[in-house]
Amino acid sequence: MRIDSLKVLFIGNSLTFTNNLPELVKKEALKENTKLETTMIAYPNYALVDHWNDGKIQKLISKNKYDFVVVQQGPSSQAEGRKMLLVDGAKIKKLCDNNGARLVYFMVWPSRQYYYTFNDVIKNHINAATNNNALLAPVGAIWKAHFDQTSDYSYYGNDGFHPSMEGSKIAAEVIAAALLNQQRIDDRKD
């Protein structure tokens, strides 16, 4: 059986590097006969604007032929976070378009303490992906549906914010599905 290969850049913060999410996404993709070559740029407490201001992601996206660029912003339930998803996401989207990559928003979740903001987190990620004509990996929506149906919050780690290994595995499944489904659509167009 043929194995496809894709290059993916992950841009985010501790929600991305906890449990080495890119590695988990690679394992999920292999189940579907797709090999991922991943690069991760993720620092604690970083927002998309911080990554943009550092200038490192611009160089990476311009010099490498990524198929997908997966961006992760903090929960983004409030106006400032929403603006970063939209404005800084648009800058990254333009850079992706100019370099043949697809932008993917990794929808996250709020901490358990701020669970009441979950709908705003979901809405703002959907809005940013729609406005920027980008893909959406709706991890936060999947988490919330699970929590609401089961009252099982084990996707959260001990701090009530970062993902447990189980939560990261669910995130990896959702992200891999978003990438591979889009790749299948793109392959049919060629």
Side-chain angles (χ1 to χ4, degrees):
M1 180 169 272
R2 183 176 142 236
I3 294 185
D4 294 320
S5 184
L6 299 170
K7 285 181 73 171
V8 184
L9 174 62
F10 287 83
I11 300 169
N13 57 40
S14 58
L15 298 180
T16 294
F17 70 68
T18 297
N19 300 318
N20 194 354
L21 182 62
E23 189 63 31
L24 296 174
V25 174
K26 280 169 99 169
K27 289 178 182 177
E28 285 300 316
L30 272 178
K31 293 177 186 177
E32 299 295 324
N33 294 314
T34 302
K35 182 181 178 188
L36 299 185
E37 179 185 328
T38 62
T39 304
M40 175 172 50
I41 303 297
Y43 305 111
N45 302 314
Y46 254 56
L48 294 180
V49 66
D50 299 315
H51 284 289
W52 188 262
N53 290 340
D54 279 354
K56 190 171 186 178
I57 63 171
Q58 292 92 321
K59 292 175 186 166
L60 280 171
I61 295 169
S62 296
K63 290 182 181 180
N64 294 280
K65 287 291 183 190
Y66 292 110
D67 296 290
F68 296 99
V69 174
V70 179
V71 295
Q72 177 262 306
Q73 166 81 21
S76 301
S77 63
Q78 298 185 6
E80 182 181 10
R82 179 182 183 279
K83 181 180 176 187
M84 285 183 236
L85 282 172
L86 288 165
V87 174
D88 298 299
K91 292 175 189 174
I92 298 169
K93 169 68 165 133
K94 184 176 182 182
L95 185 61
C96 287
D97 288 349
N98 290 339
N99 290 281
R102 299 291 301 257
L103 178 64
V104 182
Y105 280 91
F106 163 18
M107 178 195 291
V108 293
W109 50 85
S111 69
R112 287 227 25 218
Q113 179 183 359
Y114 295 106
Y115 194 86
Y116 64 91
T117 68
F118 222 131
N119 288 334
D120 289 330
V121 172
I122 292 169
K123 179 182 74 174
N124 290 340
H125 278 83
I126 291 170
N127 186 267
T130 301
N131 283 351
N132 287 321
N133 194 25
L135 301 174
L136 180 65
V139 177
I142 300 296
W143 275 37
K144 186 174 188 311
H146 171 78
F147 298 150
D148 291 350
Q149 292 169 5
T150 66
S151 296
D152 169 15
Y153 296 92
S154 61
Y155 293 174
Y156 282 110
N158 291 336
D159 67 357
F161 181 50
H162 291 90
S164 65
M165 181 55 81
E166 183 180 5
S168 289
K169 286 180 179 178
I170 296 299
E173 289 174 14
V174 175
I175 293 168
L179 301 180
L180 299 180
N181 288 339
Q182 185 58 49
Q183 190 60 36
R184 286 182 196 109
I185 291 168
D186 291 346
D187 286 347
R188 279 189 227 126
K189 292 178 184 175
D190 291 340

